Amino acid sequence: MLPSHPLLTKIQNRTARVVVIGAGYVGLPLLVELARAGYSATGYDKDPEKVSLLNKGQSYIGDIPTEVLAPLVESGHLRASSDPDVLRAADAVIVCVPTPLNKTKEPDMRFIVSAAGEIAKAQHKDMLVVLESTTYPGTTREVLIPKLTSGFELGKDIFIAFSPERVDPGNVKWGIKNTPKVIGGATPACSEIALALYGSIIDTVVPVSSTDAAEMVKLLENTFRAVNIGLVNEIALMSRKLGIDVWEVIDAAASKPFGFMKFQPGPGLGGHCIPIDPLYLSWRMRTLKYEARFIELADAINSNMPREVVVLVQEALNKRRKAANGSRVLVVGVAYKRDVSDFRESPAFDVISGLEHLGAHVDYLDPHVPELQEGELTLKSVPLDVAYGEYDAVVIVTDHRAIDYTRLLREAKLVVDTRDALRHIEGDRAKVVRL
Ligand SMILES: NC(=O)c1ccc[n+]([C@@H]2O[C@H](COP(=O)([O-])OP(=O)(O)OC[C@H]3O[C@@H](n4cnc5c(N)ncnc54)[C@H](O)[C@@H]3O)[C@@H](O)[C@H]2O)c1
């Protein structure tokens, strides 16, 4: 369709200069893949600490080893900057900024709007701009395109697309390169250029017909997870009331080779995606006077799980004639999932504050999170060789592999296990309470 477009030629011969706005959990792995493919890749980030570390070749993201990053920085393929001027020389700009919720659980679009404003100031002819941040359907069309098309013709001298990120922190099997990437351009020419760029660094690209469709793909994926986790959490609560072991039920159901997909209950959702993204969709639907019922219900069930955990601890202590008030509790694992250091939106915060609200003295142990800071809460992890027996209860919130569960079970007086982490550990089961 665009056989001789100069941007396509630059992509084909890897002379395209690519700037990624936001060198975080999503942006950094992408920068690495671009640099590996031979592009000149620049991370533009407002955080001077990330920029400084990156330029020294030091990684700050668990999935990207410094040994992988450093040679790319040394060879000059990868660099970082806090200066928006780097955007002026860019042939392609990929936006990977945060999309959080505000206090009333509504989309906080500040970062996308500010990135779009910076691109507009540096914009020139023959530029590709791709948004990767998860957002509500219509964002690229309504927020990005109007800012980038004054004096530029869409699909002719400015190319815009949306391509949802599918980073799964801690996943050693599926990384950027082998995870298929969905791409929706604002026009066929926009799609073609975006597909060419991503097709040069990712094994499989999946075109969809529009930026709205690509935005909706991501929300379907994450809503699917949030709803199924909500369902299995409710099955866990119901099983408990019925005196049934939910973990046994799930395992047996998972023996069905078709029509069932295994999800596990837990202390609640965490991370930057699953607890947040579906609410972008339900917010969008509210503006159209439509209530996204599955999303709201799953959010209500999942958000309540930390409270269920607190009640479980309280009841278990009570059975041992011990009040939560004044008791010592150790929370094991505060990252939102196994073997990662990311504690954004972690249910551990609500578990800790819920227990403290009851008067318990709470410590935490997390080898991946030496210090925990959110709002007024600042805590330091106890060491890995902590004496579990000094606590009235140990609550497993995240089942990191670095924990010695055999010793934990041997020493602890009482364990509330929200992840079934002790399933295969031999010892005194009478002191274990599961979700
Ligand atoms: N973390 C994940 O596992 C994951 C997975 C899939 C999708 N996503 C989505 O990807 C997006 C990015 O998430 P993340 O986890 O990488 O966030 P992050 O906080 O790790 O990184 C974002 C970076 O953007 C920088 N930044 C913000 N505004 C900027 C601006 N105007 N100019 C320059 N830099 C700016 C911040 O300093 C930060 O370093 C979000 O929309 C998120 O929902 C995240």
Side-chain angles (χ1 to χ4, degrees):
M1 200 180 298
L2 292 164
S4 59
H5 196 280
L7 197 44
L8 272 183
T9 313
K10 283 184 183 176
I11 291 170
Q12 277 151 11
N13 61 24
R14 305 288 191 272
T15 53
R17 284 160 298 188
V18 188
V19 175
V20 174
I21 306 189
Y25 286 94
V26 168
L28 185 58
L30 182 61
L31 281 161
V32 165
E33 222 48 67
L34 287 161
R36 265 184 179 156
Y39 291 105
S40 147
T42 305
Y44 164 52
D45 203 297
K46 285 203 185 303
D47 181 344
E49 206 182 322
K50 282 192 183 130
V51 168
S52 155
L53 285 169
L54 231 169
N55 282 331
K56 283 187 224 150
Q58 287 172 17
S59 177
Y60 42 82
I61 302 280
D63 288 344
I64 304 289
T66 288
E67 306 84 76
V68 170
L69 188 68
L72 298 169
V73 175
E74 270 162 38
S75 69
H77 282 101
L78 206 165
R79 68 186 189 104
S81 175
S82 290
D83 182 355
D85 254 11
V86 291
L87 292 164
R88 291 188 191 282
D91 298 301
V93 180
I94 304 179
V95 182
C96 302
V97 296
T99 42
L101 294 171
N102 63 21
K103 279 194 178 141
T104 53
K105 285 195 165 188
E106 290 181 344
D108 177 352
M109 302 300 287
R110 264 178 310 155
F111 302 97
I112 290 186
V113 169
S114 134
E118 275 156 4
I119 300 169
K121 278 189 226 148
Q123 201 181 349
H124 55 79
K125 204 167 166 292
D126 297 341
M127 201 177 194
L128 169 70
V129 179
V130 185
L131 179 61
E132 287 211 9
S133 304
T134 307
T135 183
Y136 58 82
T139 304
T140 309
R141 197 166 33 80
E142 293 170 1
V143 179
L144 211 57
I145 292 179
K147 279 198 187 304
L148 302 179
T149 43
S150 74
F152 295 92
E153 195 178 334
L154 187 63
K156 197 149 174 255
D157 41 32
I158 178 87
F159 303 91
I160 300 178
F162 183 85
S163 179
E165 182 43 53
R166 279 175 164 166
V167 164
D168 183 18
N171 193 330
V172 287
K173 185 173 177 203
W174 298 105
I176 289 230
K177 191 160 169 28
N178 63 352
T179 303
K181 191 107 167 87
V182 171
I183 296 162
T187 69
C190 297
S191 289
E192 191 180 342
I193 301 231
L195 285 162
L197 178 65
Y198 283 104
S200 68
I201 58 165
I202 288 169
D203 297 342
T204 312
V205 283
V206 183
V208 291
S209 64
S210 64
T211 54
D212 287 47
E215 289 159 343
M216 192 64 163
V217 169
K218 177 71 182 181
L219 294 175
L220 167 61
E221 290 167 9
N222 284 0
T223 301
F224 175 84
R225 279 193 67 74
V227 166
N228 278 289
I229 293 169
L231 171 66
V232 84
N233 275 335
E234 191 169 46
I235 295 283
L237 299 179
M238 293 192 292
S239 298
R240 217 182 139 65
K241 284 202 182 297
L242 292 166
I244 295 170
D245 176 349
V246 70
W247 305 93
E248 182 191 3
V249 170
I250 293 166
D251 271 358
S255 65
K256 188 180 177 189
F258 49 86
F260 184 81
M261 189 179 279
K262 185 173 171 178
F263 284 85
Q264 289 193 318
L269 296 178
H272 189 11
C273 292
I274 311 297
I276 293 176
D277 302 346
L279 301 183
Y280 267 67
L281 180 55
S282 57
W283 172 85
R284 175 58 154 181
M285 297 318 297
R286 272 202 304 282
T287 68
L288 302 174
K289 298 198 172 9
Y290 183 94
E291 190 193 342
R293 287 157 291 177
F294 269 113
I295 294 176
E296 301 293 347
L297 182 58
D299 180 48
I301 292 171
N302 292 330
S303 305
N304 193 47
M305 288 312 289
R307 220 161 299 144
E308 296 287 348
V309 174
V310 171
V311 170
L312 220 55
V313 178
Q314 194 179 15
E315 284 178 358
L317 285 167
N318 188 49
K319 268 199 187 139
R320 284 156 183 78
R321 298 172 185 276
K322 181 101 198 135
N325 194 352
S327 64
R328 290 194 68 203
V329 181
L330 178 69
V331 167
V332 173
V334 294
Y336 82 92
K337 71 176 198 178
R338 178 194 287 174
D339 296 344
V340 304
S341 59
D342 189 353
F343 53 81
R344 291 177 295 179
E345 311 290 327
S346 171
F349 290 109
D350 285 343
V351 172
I352 292 173
S353 61
L355 289 166
E356 284 183 338
H357 184 72
L358 292 176
H361 303 291
V362 185
D363 287 334
Y364 85 87
L365 165 63
D366 193 318
H368 299 277
V369 186
E371 194 174 289
L372 190 61
Q373 227 174 354
E374 193 174 274
E376 288 164 17
L377 193 66
T378 308
L379 291 171
K380 276 193 194 325
S381 172
V382 298
L384 210 47
D385 62 357
V386 64
Y388 293 108
E390 287 179 5
Y391 293 90
D392 298 300
V394 174
V395 188
I396 301 173
V397 169
T398 314
D399 51 348
H400 290 309
R401 270 182 276 243
I403 304 291
D404 180 349
Y405 292 104
T406 305
R407 186 170 71 80
L408 185 155
L409 181 55
R410 193 176 57 239
E411 291 181 6
K413 293 178 191 147
L414 162 69
V415 187
V416 174
D417 183 1
T418 70
R419 301 279 188 179
D420 205 17
L422 303 181
R423 148 184 300 211
H424 301 297
I425 307 294
E426 287 194 10
D428 181 5
R429 313 294 313 175
K431 58 185 178 184
V432 180
V433 175
R434 291 187 299 169
L435 198 61

